[in-house]
Amino acid sequence: MPELPEVETVRQGLRNLMLHKTIATIQVRWDKIIKGDTAQFIAALKGQTFEEIDRRGKYLLFRLSHQLTIVSHLRMEGKYRVVPQDQPLTKHTHVIFNFTDGSALRYLDMRKFGRMMLIKTGNEAQVPGLNKLGPEPTAADFSVTDFTQQLQWHKKAIKPTLLDQTTVAGLGNIYADEVLWMSKINPLQPANTLSAAQIKELHDNIISELKRATKAKGTTIRSYTDAYGATGGFKMALSVYGREGTPCPRCGTTIKKIKVGQRGTHFCPQCQVLPVKQESLS
DNA sequence: GGGTGATCCTGTACGC
DNA sequence: TGCGTACAGGATCACC
């Protein structure tokens, strides 16, 4: 499941593989992947050249000639492959961009959750989701002051607040569990009850963890691979995600898995204790 | 306007 | 072995 480090890894891989290639033909095999009119999507993109690939949160932004941008979200299982056009299609190949040089960019998505949308470059603010993204989780963009303000607005648990992309862009289920464990914060603690010290710790851990994961080229969970088809290098570094029933790396207590806001949530009941006031709520 | 739950979708795991 | 069912989850939408 691609989160920010994985999407950034895909972006870097695709930049090397497909920049300056020109689209000859396009085939859409699953209409719902395309937001908007599929026929218009195809017609507008023929003859366009990929000039740059940007990223904002978990969104990929394919910059094309003639001021067009494809906004792409991989959601759960989406992935891109640059392959020869004569390579056989798989049943999960849903969108194909055939290039004039005989190669092709293919979008594969086992669950068909991913979406792509064509916009005029500069109209990113009109894209639902993209237009409300919070700051990038970097020291330059993401301040403790803004984070504190964001958390004060929410009475709901900190876990779903972190998954809300308007709080901070790019965090997903894996890294939300990891940074809460690193910060010794219970995922059920209401966001607006975090102390200044907890917020600072969480803020710093979000930045450092995503930086570390990006450097390791993402996390290998289930089917994630980068643009070259390689798996991520970060799985060994995960402390709680997917480790229910195993000892906490910090204290040895058995990691528990619960549901918080419809999401599987992993935490250490010893290290991540709810403050006394909230304990009766769980 | 915030919070919650349903929905999309299919491979995998598990029970019978 | 084969079938049925539950589960996984990011973003969006409807509803309260």
Side-chain angles (χ1 to χ4, degrees):
Chain A
M1 61 196 79
E3 300 185 23
L4 187 148
E6 292 76 26
V7 177
E8 176 59 22
T9 303
V10 169
R11 185 189 77 85
Q12 291 171 11
L14 287 176
R15 274 194 94 247
N16 294 330
L17 291 170
M18 54 167 280
L19 231 46
H20 311 304
K21 296 202 177 197
T22 299
I23 300 168
T25 59
I26 300 161
Q27 191 184 352
V28 177
R29 288 152 51 96
W30 185 260
D31 263 354
K32 288 185 181 176
I33 299 285
I34 311 297
K35 284 177 89 170
D37 188 276
T38 303
Q40 280 182 14
F41 179 88
I42 293 170
L45 287 175
K46 273 186 189 170
Q48 298 283 328
T49 301
F50 284 92
E51 295 187 334
E52 186 52 274
I53 306 171
D54 294 327
R55 180 193 56 75
R56 177 78 174 91
K58 301 180 206 171
Y59 291 86
L60 284 168
L61 304 168
F62 293 89
R63 308 297 191 186
L64 296 133
S65 44
H66 300 95
Q67 291 294 297
L68 291 174
T69 293
I70 300 171
V71 179
S72 170
H73 198 300
L74 305 173
R75 296 277 183 99
M76 302 298 299
E77 305 273 352
K79 44 183 90 73
Y80 283 100
R81 290 282 176 277
V82 177
V83 296
Q85 282 171 25
D86 57 5
Q87 184 166 307
L89 298 175
T90 70
K91 62 183 282 196
H92 300 307
T93 304
H94 303 307
V95 183
I96 304 157
F97 301 88
N98 288 315
F99 297 128
T100 51
D101 68 351
S103 65
L105 173 69
R106 292 180 181 172
Y107 176 74
L108 296 78
D109 193 337
M110 193 174 75
R111 294 191 192 174
K112 300 177 177 171
F113 272 15
R115 295 291 179 265
M116 56 182 84
M117 181 178 180
L118 184 64
I119 60 166
K120 278 268 180 195
T121 301
N123 284 358
E124 287 80 2
Q126 294 171 12
V127 179
L130 185 60
N131 56 0
K132 290 182 184 168
L133 279 185
E136 289 288 311
T138 61
D141 289 346
F142 184 40
S143 74
V144 178
T145 309
D146 291 344
F147 188 39
T148 304
Q149 275 190 347
Q150 281 285 332
L151 297 188
Q152 281 171 350
W153 292 337
H154 294 289
K155 294 178 186 171
K156 65 179 174 182
I158 183 64
K159 169 77 185 279
T161 305
L162 289 180
L163 294 179
D164 182 342
Q165 301 297 299
T166 65
T167 305
V168 56
L171 264 186
N173 206 37
I174 299 172
Y175 297 114
D177 281 3
E178 290 297 310
V179 297
L180 285 172
W181 177 83
M182 291 168 76
S183 311
K184 300 183 181 175
I185 296 170
N186 188 289
L188 289 167
Q189 183 170 346
N192 62 355
T193 68
L194 264 67
S195 68
Q198 283 181 308
I199 294 172
K200 174 75 168 67
E201 176 90 11
L202 184 56
H203 167 269
D204 293 354
N205 283 332
I206 289 170
I207 293 174
S208 63
E209 183 73 350
L210 291 184
K211 190 175 176 184
R212 202 157 65 100
T214 304
K215 207 173 170 186
K217 300 193 180 301
T219 303
T220 298
I221 293 289
R222 294 174 63 91
S223 64
Y224 161 71
T225 56
D226 66 16
Y228 298 93
T231 57
F234 205 59
K235 186 171 185 182
M236 295 309 289
L238 293 179
S239 299
V240 286
Y241 186 88
R243 294 175 58 95
E244 65 270 26
T246 67
C248 167
R250 193 160 45 208
C251 73
T253 304
T254 303
I255 299 294
K256 281 184 75 174
K257 184 180 182 184
I258 58 172
K259 277 252 184 187
V260 182
Q262 295 181 296
R263 298 287 176 261
T265 299
H266 309 74
F267 75 108
C268 170
Q270 179 69 31
C271 297
Q272 297 169 264
V273 179
L274 265 182
V276 176
K277 256 186 162 178
Q278 280 77 38
E279 249 172 1
S280 58
L281 299 174
S282 62

